[in-house]
Amino acid sequence: MSFTTLNLHPKILKALDIAGYTEPTLIQQKVIPKILRGFDIRASAQTGTGKTAAFLLPVLQNIITSTTKPGHGPRLLVLVPTRELAAQVADQAKKYSQGFPKIKTVVVTGGMPFPPQLRQVRDPHEILIATPGRLIDLMETKKISLGRVETVVLDEADRMLDMGFREPVELILSATPKARQTLLFSATLPKSVLKLSEKFLDKPMEIAAQSQQAKHENIDQKILEVKDIKGKKAQLLKILKDESVESAIIFAATKKGVDILTEELYDLGFNVDPLHGDMDQKERARTIRRFRDKRTDFLVATDIAARGIDIDSLSHVINFDLPRQSEDYVHRIGRVGRAGAVGTAISLVSKQELPLLRKIEQFMSGKSKETTSGPIKGPRKGSEKKPTRKAWKKKRPIKQKKAKRPYASRK
Ligand code: AMP
């Protein structure tokens, strides 16, 4: 199937050509015609499936082909859980609307200075991408009007609700015209999301990009059982030294855990940066940029910080710690295998984490599989040597990419 069959404006098709997209992804094939016809949508689709373009392209088409009410406020409002996802959606919005200089995209998110955002929302714009908390703050100034909104997108709705944004999301939706089109995208559809959609969506079309089982077929998922934290570190070293592991996000459970692991890997000569919610927005953006530009090989991150990062060429995701929420496992492994690419997700599971693993396996309908094949040549359960802290410090990795700059948190 080609994009030309989707009835999109020639300038949008040109932008897709420039982006190098040859054909619509599955979710785009399913969703675009329905959005063009004005339906509300409730879609289960993850990051990496091409879901952002699935809503941006048809809404952009609707914006350029229909007349609008007078006023300055947005015609498309996209609510997202995090600043990183907001930036990623905005990048794509600008990319697809490049042929239409009058279509302006504005981003408002928390953690950024308030006055410039206030100025931006007062200027005329068509697309507004916002995190719910900051948008509420701006609405309270009465300087922003949502009366022109034709379409609202709730992106990563499950995560927005998990982050406690139910009330602001509901308030914002109630402030938009009743006759709007509402599009809800969510990696998972728990009860809370279904309740929200029942309240605010009008007879939505139900779309699943892929079945839960088929979703991760291009991701090789490996589980490595280890005894304890030392076993995890030993295995992690083996993995990182493997030549096939070019770039990876290593997920740890806590901010402190991220800092400790980054420091240890840095001391061993790995080119690694930390990413967590205690870092300010500039530092996080710089870290993500460095990783995307391949100036850093590895990121050690918490879930919240890694959310919404748009990096196509990631080869591996490593779960140094398993996530507490099974949904987060889905999000984490969704960092690889994006837009049809093949990727590997490796989970290092200690004895203590076995109950968590069972929960995840249940959630994934038995999709996780145990294997020793692939790039990992390390010992199996119980057989790993227990390196002392000293040995861990002394041992030098084979693939030693010397860090090109001091680890960020060092003074
Ligand atoms: P998303 O699921 O929206 O996070 O998109 C994942 C990545 O796929 C983004 O980097 C998009 O730029 C890219 N993408 C979206 N649609 C296509 C397509 N039809 N062909 C190739 N890449 C795409």
Side-chain angles (χ1 to χ4, degrees):
M1 184 181 188
S2 134
F3 276 110
T4 48
T5 57
L6 289 171
N7 269 338
L8 296 170
H9 192 285
K11 284 186 182 170
I12 300 180
L13 293 177
K14 181 148 183 242
L16 294 174
D17 195 38
I18 294 169
Y21 303 173
T22 49
E23 58 176 348
T25 63
L26 188 65
I27 182 96
Q28 290 162 4
Q29 291 176 29
K30 288 188 176 185
V31 159
I32 292 174
K34 302 211 165 53
I35 297 180
L36 286 173
R37 284 165 59 202
F39 287 109
D40 280 7
I41 300 281
R42 183 168 71 203
S44 61
Q46 339 225 249
T47 302
T49 52
K51 69 176 167 64
T52 316
F55 63 75
L56 283 176
L57 298 173
V59 175
L60 185 61
Q61 170 78 17
N62 286 341
I63 287 178
I64 57 182
T65 52
S66 67
T67 49
T68 178
K69 289 186 208 156
H72 280 180
R75 297 174 66 186
L76 164 63
L77 170 63
V78 185
L79 291 179
V80 294
T82 63
R83 294 175 278 213
E84 283 79 13
L85 185 59
Q88 181 187 324
V89 174
D91 280 350
Q92 292 200 44
K94 287 172 192 162
K95 187 152 74 179
Y96 308 138
S97 64
Q98 59 187 284
F100 308 94
K102 284 193 181 148
I103 299 217
K104 219 178 137 222
T105 297
V106 165
V107 181
V108 295
T109 59
M112 303 295 274
F114 196 80
Q117 293 188 354
L118 191 58
R119 274 196 300 279
Q120 280 183 310
V121 293
R122 273 156 42 182
D123 286 343
H125 59 284
E126 282 67 40
I127 301 174
L128 178 62
I129 299 156
T131 49
R134 178 52 63 95
L135 183 54
I136 290 283
D137 293 344
L138 288 162
M139 283 162 67
E140 278 166 3
T141 68
K142 307 242 184 293
K143 297 286 190 266
I144 178 162
S145 157
L146 299 180
R148 228 166 53 121
V149 168
E150 292 157 24
T151 309
V152 178
V153 176
L154 304 174
D155 196 10
E156 298 199 352
D158 51 352
R159 176 49 57 131
M160 272 199 290
L161 297 184
D162 280 354
M163 288 171 72
F165 284 138
R166 188 185 57 80
E167 211 181 316
V169 166
E170 293 199 356
L171 277 171
I172 293 165
L173 281 166
S174 306
T176 60
K178 271 222 158 63
R180 66 172 187 267
Q181 183 178 32
T182 313
L183 313 171
L184 181 149
F185 288 78
S186 197
T188 55
L189 292 174
K191 267 196 200 125
S192 54
V193 172
L194 296 178
K195 250 171 92 177
L196 182 77
S197 84
E198 273 154 26
K199 200 161 164 190
F200 291 97
L201 272 64
D202 183 20
K203 298 184 214 72
M205 303 285 279
E206 191 88 44
I207 311 267
Q210 288 163 317
S211 70
Q212 190 75 8
Q213 272 75 9
K215 255 182 215 162
H216 300 110
E217 261 168 7
N218 54 341
I219 303 174
D220 187 12
Q221 298 174 64
K222 298 172 196 287
I223 307 293
L224 289 181
E225 288 181 29
V226 294
K227 193 170 162 210
D228 52 19
I229 181 95
K230 283 182 185 165
K232 283 192 182 207
K233 288 182 178 175
Q235 281 292 5
L236 180 64
L237 273 192
K238 284 195 182 83
I239 295 165
L240 297 187
K241 281 190 259 173
D242 194 293
E243 287 302 324
S244 69
V245 184
E246 285 168 9
S247 62
I249 300 184
I250 302 156
F251 284 98
T254 62
K255 296 168 198 166
K256 197 166 164 212
V258 164
D259 279 338
I260 292 171
L261 191 57
T262 309
E263 183 105 25
E264 290 182 344
L265 291 173
Y266 178 83
D267 284 349
L268 286 164
F270 288 101
N271 187 6
V272 58
D273 267 343
L275 185 69
H276 58 62
D278 274 357
M279 292 158 62
D280 70 32
Q281 178 57 16
K282 263 196 188 151
E283 215 179 340
R284 279 158 73 171
R286 196 169 50 233
T287 300
I288 292 167
R289 211 168 36 244
R290 283 168 48 78
F291 187 60
R292 190 184 288 147
D293 296 347
K294 298 193 189 307
R295 284 181 283 150
T296 351
D297 299 323
F298 307 116
L299 278 188
V300 183
T302 52
D303 284 294
I304 192 89
R307 195 90 187 162
I309 304 176
D310 187 21
I311 296 163
D312 287 338
S313 56
L314 198 60
S315 70
H316 286 68
V317 157
I318 300 164
N319 292 320
F320 186 79
D321 297 313
L322 279 185
R324 303 248 135 232
Q325 306 293 331
S326 301
E327 286 90 344
D328 283 336
Y329 178 84
V330 178
H331 290 301
R332 287 182 181 187
I333 68 168
R335 314 310 315 173
V336 295
R338 290 163 76 84
V342 176
T344 306
I346 305 170
S347 300
L348 304 174
V349 183
S350 68
K351 279 195 170 139
Q352 270 181 327
E353 290 172 306
L354 286 175
L356 267 181
L357 177 65
R358 298 293 159 252
K359 252 178 61 189
I360 293 169
E361 281 178 336
Q362 236 174 4
F363 182 77
M364 301 288 290
S365 317
K367 229 4 217 165
S368 302
K369 53 182 188 238
E370 196 165 331
T371 172
T372 50
S373 64
I376 304 159
K377 293 157 198 124
R380 291 291 300 148
K381 182 182 176 183
S383 67
E384 77 266 12
K385 265 204 215 144
K386 294 174 195 159
T388 59
R389 163 87 188 150
K390 225 167 145 193
W392 159 256
K393 277 255 168 200
K394 253 199 284 181
K395 224 162 110 192
R396 308 302 295 175
I398 301 161
K399 181 193 172 191
Q400 254 186 41
K401 295 193 185 167
K402 194 67 196 157
K404 291 162 199 134
R405 61 165 202 123
Y407 158 51
S409 71
R410 276 158 207 265
K411 297 282 171 267

